[in-house]
Amino acid sequence: MSSAIPIASAAIPGSIETMRLVRYDDAYSIMVGTAELMNDRHRDSERALATVTCARLGGNAAPKILIGGLGMGFTLRAALDALGPRAEVVVAELMPAVIAWASGPLAHLFTGSLDDPRVSLVEADVNRLIQSGQAQFDAILLDVDNGPKGLTRRENDRLYDGWGLKRAHYALRDGGILAVWSGGPDRRFKKRLRRFGFDVEEHRYPAHPGGRRHVLWIAVRRDG
């Protein structure tokens, strides 16, 4: 593999770290420090976050879904492919640079996703959208900061602690799904989901065939 070619960089709100977009040959990667958050060749688990969730919503012709984190658009694209024409997909992305990359150097990955009439892209912390009202979403998909054990912003931990899970439970409709992507397992988080009103399944999906397995938690909101 060739050395990394810098494409763009941006400060991360609330962090001393910088997010960088780099290219290796014809592959793109988003990095924070020496850690790789994602690349455009290892996308299967991010797509599974949407496909597994949307399969559970098959009986709902017009679901409203919130996706936390735009990234390289793999979860969004998979959701749009799985959902019908009456679906509504809200994407919350905190960093304006990531939004700019989606229509700039990474436009070839998005294949028109952001122009889809079902999509609303909001420059905001996904926490703010989760807190904006009761029973407003059929599913919340979170691929933020590598999961419960974050890398970039301490504020992101609030998504995964007891307070955040209470808010997610409040924001979901009856039987709604909180789907969480993580770079690795976390038994405490799985227990916490159950403690705060969710029935939980844990799945392992490789980032690519034969690659490292990432974790998806599919947590269904219990009534009450």
Side-chain angles (χ1 to χ4, degrees):
M1 180 178 287
S2 66
S3 59
I5 300 172
I7 303 298
S9 64
I12 300 171
S15 172
I16 62 172
E17 299 283 2
T18 297
M19 184 175 289
R20 296 177 294 120
L21 177 64
V22 302
R23 189 178 75 226
Y24 297 93
D25 297 324
D26 60 346
Y28 288 84
S29 176
I30 294 178
M31 310 279 297
V32 174
T34 60
E36 182 179 66
L37 294 184
M38 65 192 73
N39 69 61
D40 63 348
R41 291 185 172 177
H42 300 167
R43 62 183 73 178
D44 292 357
S45 61
E46 284 90 346
R47 289 183 58 84
L49 180 65
T51 55
V52 172
T53 302
C54 292
R56 306 294 182 90
L57 300 174
N60 187 341
K64 183 176 182 180
I65 293 174
L66 173 62
I67 297 177
L70 178 62
M72 291 183 166
F74 302 134
T75 299
L76 172 60
R77 181 70 264 165
L80 294 175
D81 290 345
L83 295 169
R86 295 171 55 200
E88 181 180 353
V89 182
V90 181
V91 183
E93 173 54 54
L94 177 66
M95 294 187 59
V98 173
I99 296 174
W101 298 346
S103 58
L106 300 181
H108 62 289
L109 299 178
F110 282 81
T111 60
S113 296
L114 297 180
D115 299 321
D116 192 300
R118 295 171 291 175
V119 175
S120 299
L121 177 59
V122 182
E123 183 185 317
D125 188 329
V126 68
N127 249 324
R128 180 171 68 80
L129 273 68
I130 290 173
Q131 296 178 57
S132 63
Q134 182 180 13
Q136 58 179 323
F137 299 110
D138 296 290
I140 299 171
L141 284 64
L142 297 179
D143 181 2
V144 176
D145 206 356
N146 211 47
K149 296 178 180 178
L151 294 174
T152 62
R153 295 178 74 239
R154 182 171 297 177
E155 290 87 345
N156 289 332
D157 294 344
R158 180 53 66 92
L159 286 168
Y160 306 109
D161 65 14
W163 181 91
L165 296 183
K166 284 182 181 178
R167 301 309 303 176
H169 192 278
Y170 183 78
L172 286 166
R173 295 167 180 162
D174 290 347
I177 298 171
L178 174 63
V180 178
W181 183 99
S182 176
D186 187 327
R187 286 184 293 178
R188 290 183 178 179
F189 179 65
K190 186 176 180 181
K191 291 179 180 178
R192 196 154 60 243
L193 283 164
R194 289 176 172 149
R195 187 164 68 249
F196 286 97
F198 293 93
D199 294 321
V200 185
E201 296 177 8
E202 182 177 301
H203 301 268
R204 306 290 178 97
Y205 284 89
H208 59 96
R212 176 186 173 187
R213 288 182 174 268
H214 296 146
V215 177
L216 304 183
W217 290 287
I218 305 299
V220 179
R221 180 191 187 277
R222 292 196 303 266
D223 294 344

